[in-house]
Amino acid sequence: MYMEERGANEQQQRLPTANEAARHPAPAEFTGTCTGNLLQTALVMLAWLGVPHAIVVIVFASFIFLSFINAMMVIGLLFLLIFIPIDQNSKWGIRIARCICMQASGYFPMHLYVEDIGAFDPNRAYIFGYEPHSIWPVGMVMLCALTGFMPLPKIKGLCSSAVFNTTVMRHIWTWLGMSAATKQNFKSLLSSGHSCIIVPGGTQETFYMEHDCESNVYKWWKPSGKLYLKFSRAIKFTPTLFWGYMGSFIPFQHPIHVVVGRPIEVEKNTQPTAQELEALHSRFIEALQQLFEKHKMRLGYTHLNLKIL
């Protein structure tokens, strides 16, 4: 199991200064590659994406095959696991998370293209605006610290707080370097020098997905209606039934491409005006559009169009 790197910079070389990076962009491309068998892949996908579905199966199976008392004991155990403290530095946990990163990035496979890797200073904190959310923002794995592609020592992904109220899933995703997407967490992580990966559109983007339009990684289905919408917003999560190979949670293998543009420099301002925020937002949207149009041709997706709602 290994990772390939293709680009202008080798990891052991000195990173260019900001001025050098401005004059000489240093693009880098990374491709995940793994040699895991089908059983390993199934276990990795179960640990990473299949926990909510596994919990539903366990609960239903308990009531069908066990006595009522035993079924309630199973549910009580699942509930208890929500409150077990998490050691985010657990050696076994980190090994599991690193295995997930390596296997998942090679399974699809995932490709990461950084337009100017020399523009990232390992002594600074950055905010990555990852789009779109999709069913699961699986491409975030390519930016994780455990994957090791980005030259940043401390990276955290911010995701729905519902993840950290889900049995077992809260442990796995914590070891993967994820944290609840709250204002307090966001500010605390940035102040401690962590770069943060966020999805600006959040989980509500899943309501606007068009089947067979954005991605064919999953063949998926989700209910519709106002009641379902209110329920999903209340729990900050979009329950989705999706299936891959042979009706399982294992997704189909389609390449996933993640592109990172150059950082947008921002002057520190603790009390920005609405106009300043709007101007910064416009810069982000413009940069996003340019990245999409530029790289969709390079990757052979000239027929795709970017919709910004």
Side-chain angles (χ1 to χ4, degrees):
M1 189 183 304
Y2 64 97
M3 296 290 178
E4 270 181 4
E5 174 188 350
R6 298 191 303 273
N9 272 16
E10 297 294 334
Q11 288 185 335
Q12 68 270 22
Q13 290 180 334
R14 179 185 65 85
L15 292 175
T17 64
N19 290 334
E20 289 173 340
R23 293 192 300 270
H24 305 289
E29 184 176 359
F30 307 87
T31 301
T33 307
C34 72
T35 58
N37 57 39
L38 182 60
L39 177 60
Q40 290 176 320
T41 299
L43 292 175
V44 166
M45 293 299 171
L46 174 61
W48 184 33
L49 304 175
V51 172
H53 304 80
I55 292 174
V56 172
V57 171
I58 290 172
V59 170
F60 275 97
S62 297
F63 281 106
I64 294 173
F65 298 106
L66 302 177
S67 66
F68 179 77
I69 294 178
N70 288 336
M72 293 305 296
M73 290 179 63
V74 171
I75 293 175
L77 177 61
L78 293 175
F79 185 75
L80 180 63
L81 290 174
I82 297 176
F83 301 98
I84 293 181
I86 305 174
D87 178 8
Q88 62 180 353
N89 297 315
S90 166
K91 292 183 179 180
W92 281 102
I94 297 300
R95 289 183 65 179
I96 292 172
R98 182 173 286 110
C99 178
I100 291 174
C101 287
M102 302 287 282
Q103 286 276 12
S105 61
Y107 170 76
F108 291 100
M110 296 184 188
H111 305 270
L112 173 64
Y113 185 89
V114 186
E115 286 200 325
D116 189 359
I117 200 167
F120 291 91
D121 184 346
N123 298 314
R124 296 180 61 183
Y126 298 86
I127 300 174
F128 294 86
Y130 181 96
E131 288 286 354
H133 187 281
S134 191
I135 297 298
W136 297 99
V138 294
M140 288 175 65
V141 164
M142 295 298 280
L143 303 175
C144 288
L146 289 176
T147 310
F149 291 148
M150 294 300 298
L152 302 172
K154 297 191 294 184
I155 306 176
K156 285 282 188 179
L158 299 181
C159 56
S160 171
S161 56
V163 168
F164 301 95
N165 293 317
T166 303
T167 298
V168 180
M169 193 175 185
R170 59 193 290 264
H171 290 80
I172 298 295
W173 285 48
T174 296
W175 293 328
L176 282 169
M178 300 294 173
S179 183
T182 64
K183 180 179 179 180
Q184 181 178 358
N185 271 351
F186 198 9
K187 293 175 64 176
S188 176
L189 288 169
L190 288 175
S191 62
S192 63
H194 283 82
S195 294
C196 294
I197 312 167
I198 64 171
V199 183
T203 56
Q204 64 181 355
E205 286 184 350
T206 57
F207 294 110
Y208 302 101
M209 289 179 61
E210 298 178 17
H211 186 47
D212 287 333
C213 176
E214 175 204 339
S215 172
N216 288 319
V217 172
Y218 296 95
K219 290 184 178 179
W220 60 276
W221 173 83
K222 64 180 179 62
S224 59
K226 293 183 179 180
L227 180 61
Y228 179 80
L229 180 62
K230 290 181 179 179
F231 174 72
S232 298
R233 286 177 175 170
I235 65 174
K236 300 180 180 178
F237 191 69
T238 306
T240 306
L241 301 176
F242 60 91
W243 50 93
Y245 284 117
M246 305 178 70
S248 72
F249 51 82
I250 303 177
F252 295 99
Q253 290 180 289
H254 293 278
I256 295 177
H257 301 279
V258 180
V259 178
V260 177
R262 297 197 62 188
I264 298 174
E265 293 294 334
V266 180
E267 292 185 7
K268 186 175 182 179
N269 185 353
T270 57
Q271 294 181 327
T273 64
Q275 292 77 11
E276 289 171 329
L277 291 175
E278 179 63 29
L280 181 57
H281 179 260
S282 297
R283 289 175 63 190
F284 172 74
I285 294 298
E286 182 181 359
L288 188 65
Q289 291 173 319
Q290 290 176 352
L291 279 178
F292 180 83
E293 294 299 328
K294 177 180 178 180
H295 292 281
K296 77 173 187 179
M297 298 181 65
R298 181 179 64 86
L299 298 172
Y301 294 98
T302 55
H303 63 285
L304 291 183
N305 295 312
L306 178 65
K307 297 180 181 179
I308 297 179
L309 304 178

